[in-house]
Amino acid sequence: MISEEDLTKQQSIPYEERISRIEKLLEGKEKPRAFELGLLLALKMGQEIREKKPLGSTTAKMVAEWNRTYPSSLVEEAIASAKEFLTNPAKLAEKIKAGMKKIDEKRDDADKSDETESKDLSEGENG
């Protein structure tokens, strides 16, 4: 999974290397998340723009391949994520932060539950 920290680190890396790292992350992954595919698509589209190539000149093939490999709903969500990356990155960053916060909260809740369960078990053995 790509975290907020990963995205922050990505900003200090040369553009082509960012793309390469995301591609390596996705290599061989059976079930990538739409967000991850969307990030790659946005970076590739950004590369097309930087190189003054027509939009879709390289990314269309990639998306067509995704359509053969993944469910259409995943591809559509990836395209929507890419669009959001390109048009409103600040809003997407907030979504990522909110998502990471939820994950951290779930992890904290699970840790607390484990601690309570361990305490209950140890009290039961001592009592």
Side-chain angles (χ1 to χ4, degrees):
M1 185 176 108
I2 300 171
S3 69
E4 182 180 352
E5 183 180 329
D6 294 332
L7 292 174
T8 303
K9 287 179 185 176
Q10 286 281 333
Q11 293 174 353
S12 64
I13 299 170
Y15 202 82
E16 286 72 23
E17 192 175 331
R18 291 181 207 180
I19 293 171
S20 176
R21 286 184 178 204
I22 300 299
E23 287 174 331
K24 285 179 186 174
L25 175 83
L26 292 170
E27 249 176 43
K29 203 171 190 182
E30 278 186 45
K31 295 182 179 180
R33 295 175 47 210
F35 169 80
E36 295 167 332
L37 294 175
L39 177 58
L40 178 60
L41 179 58
L43 288 169
K44 291 279 201 171
M45 291 171 76
Q47 186 177 40
E48 290 171 337
I49 293 166
R50 284 173 175 227
E51 295 174 357
K52 297 182 179 18
K53 291 181 178 178
L55 205 53
S57 60
T58 57
T59 54
K61 287 180 189 176
M62 183 174 69
V63 172
E65 181 61 34
W66 290 351
N67 275 311
R68 287 190 290 277
T69 309
Y70 307 116
S72 60
S73 60
L74 178 73
V75 176
E76 288 172 21
E77 194 176 332
I79 292 168
S81 291
K83 182 179 177 183
E84 197 165 356
F85 265 120
L86 292 170
T87 59
N88 198 349
K91 182 178 176 185
L92 193 57
E94 288 304 314
K95 279 186 180 180
I96 293 166
K97 285 180 187 177
M100 295 309 295
K101 187 176 178 182
K102 283 182 185 177
I103 290 169
D104 288 342
E105 288 170 357
K106 285 181 183 178
R107 203 173 288 143
D108 289 347
D109 289 345
D111 290 346
K112 286 177 188 173
S113 176
D114 289 346
E115 288 172 14
T116 303
E117 189 175 304
S118 295
K119 185 179 175 183
D120 290 345
L121 287 174
S122 65
E123 286 176 358
E125 291 172 2
N126 295 330

